[in-house]
Amino acid sequence: MFLPNTRTLAVLCWIMCMRITVSQASVPAPKLMFAYSVNESNIVLNTILHVSCDAPGGAPYPVTVSVGKLESPSQTPETTEPWVTSEVVSYPTSVGFSIPAIAKYEGKMVCWYQSTRTELKNSYSEFSNTVPLVVSALPPPKVSLHPNLFLVGGNYTVYCNSTAGPVTNFTLSLYYRILPVTHGTNWTFAGSVFLTDGTSIYLRQTKAVVQIEFACTMEMLYNGKVLHSPQSKIEQAFPEELPVRLWEQDRGESCLGYLDVKLKGKWEPVCQKEADTVADESAAIATAKVVCRELGCGHVLEWKRILENNRHFSDTIGGIRCSGEEEKTRDCPMNEIELCKKGGILYIICSDALPPPKLSVMTYGPVPKLYVTDKQNVEISCSIDSTYLKPRDYGYIVFRKDGAIVSEMYRNPGTSASITQYDKVAGEYDCVYQLYSSKIKPVSQPSNTVFIYIYNPPDPVPIVAGVLTTVIGVAILTYICVYRTTTQEVQGNEFPAHSQDPATNTETPDNNVYIPQQL
């Protein structure tokens, strides 16, 4: 019985060994691939490549997955030093790895896995398929201008910077062409520098008046081959006049609207930071003052920073900080061109956009003062007109008496409104116009003023009686003084010839005639 049992055990052991051997031989190899679409003939130096190794369903899980380089036909997973090894994987999955595109990792990439089960005689899988990693290109360099905002006649420097990371012994070449570019315009070679230390070259321009665009390229000898970069992005150098405008979509250019500046031939909104301090607010007011003066739109009437999300923001000028004494906005300190992140724009209304209304009194016109009786009604009219407002604009005409609001009437520009005062009309009258169709609802300056006074004339009956009395008295007095006196003078001169001499007159004194000398 002992011998048959020994034979049975031997057969069983042989069967088990064969099963293990067959199992290991039939373990499928993993599959290696780029995780994303990669042009294997144009792998850029120092970029990060993402590869994935698919652990198959028949693997003796749990396993760890590794990736490395296949350098000889006799190489096995056991003898290969992995670049990186994953955590333990317990089920079929794709394991991702990030491999830098540098000389160390150039060659044939492979992956494999190793089982963590201790009962297996050979815990390694076979190599996966190979994936070539060959660095064959350089990243495009970067052109930049400093400062990126400069006026006509100003100076600037153009830089060409390597973006290939920590590399040495390479050449940067700079090119330019005059704007505007026409068909057939070619790049002109400005110069090149071989760099053993450093990452950039530069070219300085002074008293710039011509619009130019720049580009650059890079090349180097790397791991036995010459690498070339594509051309950099183009950077344009515009000596700026920096004209400004006030603009709205429905209104166009006028004396009210968003503050825009012309940059590189295109109108861009001016990015306005929030006025958090007194200095910020003062600078914004001064900027609005300079803008209105530059545009010939009078003085600043009102301003506000508005968050506008409907306008496209690209690289534009940052906050302008005028003092108020500058002749033009371009003379003010301002930030360089930047990306406007919060979308704040300065909205300005100048006085010419909303001129003072005109106040007049019906039948009297725009008189500065008027006398009326306490029983007399007064009709006052107010009109608003502006060459910068549109017929679709709207607002309210506001009548005021002694500074207090008397009436408000909805009106479009170019029209008028009137009120009639029936009682207690005395006072100082004016009117203003509040524009409701604007973003900030500004109020115009006050109109001309009219002072209305109460004047009650005296009763005419006593006056007429007094005049009549005076006339009668004057008539009586005239009669006494003129007519009566004249008559007496004639009678007094009719003396007899013999009585002309008083000394010889024999008549009694009672018969003498007395001519009065004064009445």
Side-chain angles (χ1 to χ4, degrees):
M1 294 295 295
F2 179 76
L3 289 176
N5 290 338
T6 301
R7 291 176 179 176
T8 303
L9 290 173
V11 171
L12 290 174
C13 287
W14 180 81
I15 292 173
M16 291 299 294
C17 288
M18 290 298 295
R19 291 183 62 184
I20 292 173
T21 302
V22 172
S23 176
Q24 283 186 263
S26 62
V27 170
K31 183 179 180 180
L32 183 65
M33 67 184 72
F34 285 110
Y36 305 104
S37 177
V38 173
N39 184 355
E40 297 180 13
S41 63
N42 189 40
I43 295 178
V44 178
L45 177 65
N46 284 329
T47 55
I48 301 299
L49 301 174
H50 300 282
V51 297
S52 63
C53 184
D54 294 343
Y61 294 98
V63 298
T64 57
V65 181
S66 302
V67 65
K69 181 164 64 173
L70 182 63
E71 298 180 288
S72 70
S74 61
Q75 190 175 329
T76 64
E78 295 93 329
T79 61
T80 301
E81 181 181 357
W83 294 336
V84 61
T85 300
S86 72
E87 299 291 336
V88 175
V89 176
S90 301
Y91 50 86
T93 186
S94 293
V95 181
F97 299 95
S98 297
I99 308 298
I102 58 177
K104 175 183 176 180
Y105 299 108
E106 282 192 285
K108 298 177 179 179
M109 293 187 295
V110 291
C111 71
W112 65 92
Y113 57 86
Q114 181 184 10
S115 175
T116 60
R117 288 164 52 179
T118 57
E119 73 272 14
L120 298 179
K121 183 178 179 180
N122 183 8
S123 59
Y124 288 90
S125 72
E126 297 295 326
F127 282 129
S128 69
N129 59 299
T130 60
V131 173
L133 193 165
V134 179
V135 176
S136 54
L138 295 172
K142 181 181 180 181
V143 176
S144 59
L145 294 177
H146 299 278
N148 58 12
L149 177 64
F150 54 92
L151 298 178
V152 171
N155 305 331
Y156 68 92
T157 303
V158 54
Y159 290 87
C160 177
N161 299 273
S162 166
T163 59
V167 296
T168 58
N169 301 328
F170 59 91
T171 300
L172 290 174
S173 300
L174 187 64
Y175 302 86
Y176 73 92
R177 58 186 178 185
I178 306 298
L179 296 175
V181 174
T182 58
H183 180 71
T185 302
N186 296 320
W187 289 98
T188 301
F189 177 67
S192 62
V193 178
F194 178 76
L195 298 174
T196 58
D197 185 20
T199 59
S200 66
I201 62 173
Y202 66 90
L203 177 67
R204 183 171 289 120
Q205 292 286 97
T206 59
K207 298 180 180 180
V209 294
V210 179
Q211 298 176 359
I212 306 175
E213 62 181 12
F214 295 91
C216 66
T217 59
M218 176 181 175
E219 65 178 14
M220 69 179 298
L221 181 64
Y222 183 81
N223 204 20
K225 51 186 176 291
V226 178
L227 304 182
H228 298 273
S229 77
Q231 180 181 284
S232 68
K233 289 185 177 180
I234 295 173
E235 186 70 25
Q236 295 180 331
F238 272 75
E240 299 286 1
E241 294 283 356
L242 294 182
V244 295
R245 70 176 183 179
L246 296 177
W247 180 89
E248 281 188 271
Q249 180 68 43
D250 297 333
R251 197 185 305 279
E253 295 184 31
S254 66
C255 287
L256 74 162
Y258 298 107
L259 176 59
D260 287 354
V261 64
K262 200 169 190 178
L263 278 177
K264 297 185 177 180
K266 297 191 301 181
W267 287 105
E268 300 285 355
V270 173
C271 190
Q272 179 67 34
K273 65 174 289 188
E274 190 169 356
D276 296 325
T277 64
V278 175
D280 291 340
E281 183 172 353
S282 177
I285 295 173
T287 299
K289 177 181 177 181
V290 174
V291 169
C292 289
R293 183 168 61 241
E294 179 179 351
L295 296 177
C297 290
H299 60 272
V300 59
L301 191 63
E302 200 163 338
W303 68 275
K304 187 176 181 180
R305 176 182 180 267
I306 294 179
L307 291 176
E308 181 57 72
N309 296 321
N310 294 328
R311 293 197 65 183
H312 172 70
F313 282 84
S314 58
D315 289 348
T316 184
I317 288 182
I320 303 175
R321 302 183 68 85
C322 298
S323 67
E325 302 301 323
E326 294 86 353
E327 182 180 351
K328 291 184 178 293
T329 312
R330 68 182 183 188
D331 302 326
C332 303
M334 60 186 69
N335 296 337
E336 293 189 355
I337 300 174
E338 61 183 19
L339 178 63
C340 193
K341 296 180 180 179
K342 294 186 178 180
I345 315 178
L346 195 62
Y347 190 94
I348 300 173
I349 297 181
C350 302
S351 58
D352 284 3
L354 197 59
K358 295 179 180 179
L359 190 73
S360 61
V361 181
M362 298 299 290
T363 71
Y364 297 98
V367 293
K369 59 184 178 180
L370 180 67
Y371 291 89
V372 298
T373 65
D374 56 359
K375 297 180 180 180
Q376 185 176 349
N377 299 332
V378 177
E379 185 178 355
I380 301 173
S381 175
C382 180
S383 61
I384 177 67
D385 195 12
S386 171
T387 57
Y388 297 103
L389 298 182
K390 305 296 181 182
R392 60 177 172 274
D393 284 312
Y394 59 90
Y396 284 85
I397 290 179
V398 181
F399 289 91
R400 301 186 302 191
K401 175 185 175 184
D402 297 328
I405 295 176
V406 176
S407 177
E408 294 179 313
M409 298 184 182
Y410 178 92
R411 289 293 186 274
N412 299 103
T415 61
S416 63
S418 61
I419 60 171
T420 302
Q421 295 291 90
Y422 296 97
D423 188 27
K424 297 180 180 180
V425 298
E428 179 186 10
Y429 292 84
D430 69 0
C431 64
V432 295
Y433 186 74
Q434 185 169 16
L435 183 65
Y436 268 69
S437 55
S438 169
K439 293 289 184 181
I440 57 178
K441 299 179 176 58
V443 178
S444 73
Q445 290 183 295
S447 68
N448 56 302
T449 57
V450 175
F451 291 88
I452 298 181
Y453 301 93
I454 298 299
Y455 173 71
N456 289 317
D459 190 351
V461 175
I463 294 177
V464 172
V467 171
L468 291 176
T469 303
T470 302
V471 171
I472 294 172
V474 170
I476 294 173
L477 190 60
T478 301
Y479 172 77
I480 294 174
C481 294
V482 178
Y483 181 77
R484 293 281 304 275
T485 302
T486 302
T487 304
Q488 291 179 357
E489 287 179 349
V490 172
Q491 293 176 354
N493 290 329
E494 295 177 353
F495 288 114
H498 62 272
S499 62
Q500 291 180 354
D501 187 357
T504 60
N505 189 7
T506 58
E507 293 183 7
T508 60
D510 292 337
N511 294 326
N512 292 335
V513 177
Y514 175 68
I515 300 175
Q517 300 298 314
Q518 183 177 358
L519 293 177

